[in-house]
Amino acid sequence: MSDLLAARSQMGVSLAFHIIFAVAGIAMPVMMVVAEHRWQVTGHAIYLDLAKRWSKGTAILFAVGAVSGTVLSFELGLLWPEFMRFAGPIIGMPFSLEGFAFFTEAIFLGIYLYGWDRIPPRAHLAAGGIVALSGAASGVFVVIANAWMNAPTGFELVQGQAVNVDPLAAMANPAALPQALHMTLAAYAATGFAVAGIHALLLLKDPANAFHRRALAVALIVGAPAAVLQPISGDLSARHLARHQPVKLAAAEALFQTQAGAPLTLGGWPDVDRRETRFAIDIPAGLSLLAFHDPGAVVKGLDAAPRDEWPNVPAVHLAFQLMVALGSYLALIALWAGWRAWRGADLAHDRWLLRAIVLAAPMGFIAVEAGWMVTELGRQPWVIYGVLKTADSVTPMPGLIVPFLTFTLLYCFLGAIVVWLLYRQILRSPEIPEWRGFYMPGGGSRERGDAA
Amino acid sequence: MSLADLLAVVIFATLNAYAVLAGADFGGGVWALLAGGPRKQRQGELIAHAIGPVWEANHVWLILAIVLLFTGFPAAFARLGIVLHIPLSLVLIGIVLRGSAFTFWRYGGDTDAEQRHWGVTFAVASLITPVLLGVTVGAIASGAVSGPRAPGPAFFTGYVAPWLTPFALSVGVFALVAFAFLAAVYLTLEAEDRELQEDFRRRALGAGVALFGAALLVLALSGVGAGAPRVRAGLIFAPWAAPLHLLAGVAAVVALAALWRRRYGAARIAAACQVSLILWGWGLSQYPYILPPDLTVAGAAAPAVTLRLVLGALALGAVVLLPSLYYLFRVFKSRTPVAPPTMPPARPR
């Protein structure tokens, strides 16, 4: 394994690990605040228990997210010093703002977790709200920095040096809005469906359990709208790519030749040597339609870039297909659940819907990882698109396979423990007899309203 | 004062906050490891109770310092990442293990054996991380983080020798003792009952005396071999050196005297001042260099437009941050009567 590959692998593992906790850290506080708000309004102890369990989950996930995020901020320099030397003055700004947002999040999470008995209920709820807002803000700032790597603006390149630096123009890069929107929605959809799926599984075993019924409802309130909106944001991203990062789009769609009326390629295996995609289903003019909203539009293929500037086409194409497929599934399930709830059905007794939601539980997170692979692998061989190659920014330090393996082992170990703790702390059914069977089938309208 | 100097001062102040706040959280872990005697269990609970609400906020000072460093002084950040790759990676592993083990300690473990396991991991990580942080500071102060490195050969001279020196290691020991001292002093104020207070008073007095020893060791080793000539010269001959030493000395004596007379509030302020003054002594002694012997604050600085924007963002951020921090510490660190500690938190069964 070359040092460059080891460095890329370490960065990839660190990001893939951290993103799970970052995503959960953005959405879990929303669920915990919704539950606490329901408790303050209805006075029902189930909501308090939910809020407390979710806040424990948030505490565990946030702590691991905070330390793995620290690792990433150092790794930028430990692995990619030349990238940071170049990019620091240009995109340090969103990182600094993220520092403040993250600081606010940490402060108010401390207040929320430990302040149940120390501050008035309204202040406590407000603290939770600030955690949710600042969590989303820190995610947005980090994604803006990443967006700049894909669509660098705010400087001029003169003999390899950045001059006329404008950090605000760098923040306003064209990829910032599509990426930030897509990532934020993904966080709510992935986390909402993961939690909903777990409670759906428990409801399949125990449909009368009032605790899981309410948990499912709150999780869907957070996850379902985001899942429905995500394809629209995906369309925005695709149109951005077509204009600003054509090579990434071409790799994602396995489009080898630049052409008018480009087809949409579903599935298949891109054969890079023969420059064709085998076993795929082509929808004529589909890609032109999606990328430019015009069936006759010219879409740039991989042939628009020299061969040595292509990313790993099969990996990007497969990751992209996976993301789109999983995201579409989540959107359909969200629509189904919304339609059923709107019709006044009791979701907890709709066994086919519950099964579909159980199946959706891991999908959001897999889609997040796949989408991140599209963004990062699709930009290669560049670390800053068209400006700086990844290979030119890696540290000269030899033996990088050692830290790669060390951090990989560390993260495997931590991941296993977190799963075990979450299972034990928040997923076990509460054993409070009166909450079992609290719900009577065909019961009052309040129950039905709760399930919406 | 130039913009670059101003930002350097802010970054240093951030590190100062990290040292006196998060440093004490690390020190708490050290005392958890050394907990003993008839009140062993209660010592551990007090430490967990003191650290719990604040350690994550305290930890963010380091992240803030890092992002400000790579935004404002990218050349320094790049060089640190290359030359100090190994100790910084080890610091990261320590930070990861400390933070997650603490959380697992609080939220994990149905059994005592499991709880102990996480408690020990937390404590050991709290012991090792400050030493490595001190080692990186020592390496910087000694002027070993220099020049660009040729890729390929000379792994040891390029990536190990700069920080594996007696001087850097002595700074590591000093950092550990200083953090333990801070933690013990703060814990005298956290303790709700007299016996625990006495436990930590004794530990604080011991650590305070040990801190003098560690300081002498650092000073002695700064003159041995490569040492840290610039810091040594600065600390001894610079015009500001005498008043700074005097102030740090006064703070140290006041801290110990206040501990002796059980004036814990005064001891806390004096101890924090003492550690801060020592830090600023280091910073001043290597000015104008951000990474001696050759990289200056001005030479490593980002373009002025970046510095202006970051300083503006800092001013805005402080408006949000400082009241929030004040609220956090008022809620959890004021001496008003509180609900009984919940350690470990009650779990619904």
Side-chain angles (χ1 to χ4, degrees), chain A residues 27-76:
Chain A
M28 286 295 291
V30 178
M31 290 171 23
M32 123 198 142
V33 168
V34 171
E36 188 184 3
H37 180 254
R38 295 298 299 156
W39 172 60
Q40 292 189 359
V41 171
T42 65
H44 202 300
I46 287 182
Y47 286 118
L48 179 63
D49 189 36
L50 259 185
K52 289 207 166 175
R53 280 163 179 251
W54 280 340
S55 70
K56 275 185 203 169
T58 305
I60 295 169
L61 294 165
F62 183 85
V64 179
V67 292
S68 59
T70 310
V71 171
L72 277 170
S73 65
F74 274 83
E75 277 176 346
L76 290 172

Side-chain angles (χ1 to χ4, degrees), chain A residues 62-63 70-71 77-78 81 84 88-89 92 96 103 108 111 114 118-119 165 396-398 414 417 421 424-425 431, chain B residues 56-57 59 61 63 70-71 77-78 82 85 96 103-104 106-109 114 118 159 305-306 324 327 331-332 338 347:
Chain A
F62 183 85
T70 310
V71 171
L78 293 175
M84 287 315 291
S96 305
F103 219 141
F108 284 94
I111 291 171
Y114 293 84
R118 286 177 177 252
I119 54 175
V165 169
M397 157 106 182
L414 283 186
I417 290 162
L421 283 185
R424 227 173 28 191
Q425 289 297 319
E431 288 161 20
Chain B
E56 282 173 313
H59 171 73
W61 287 109
I63 300 180
F70 71 54
T71 310
F77 182 67
I82 295 171
H85 184 108
V96 168
T103 308
F104 301 161
R106 279 198 70 89
Y107 290 102
E114 252 178 288
W118 290 123
Y159 301 98
V305 56
T306 303
S324 308
Y327 186 57
V331 169
F332 294 107
V338 293
R347 283 186 292 270

Side-chain angles (χ1 to χ4, degrees), chain B residues 7 9 20 48 51 54 75 104 176 209-210 214 217 237 292 298 309 320-321 348:
Chain B
L7 186 60
V9 166
V20 298
I51 295 175
V54 293
F104 301 161
L176 179 68
V209 172
L217 182 70
F237 302 115
L309 275 169
V320 178
L321 201 60

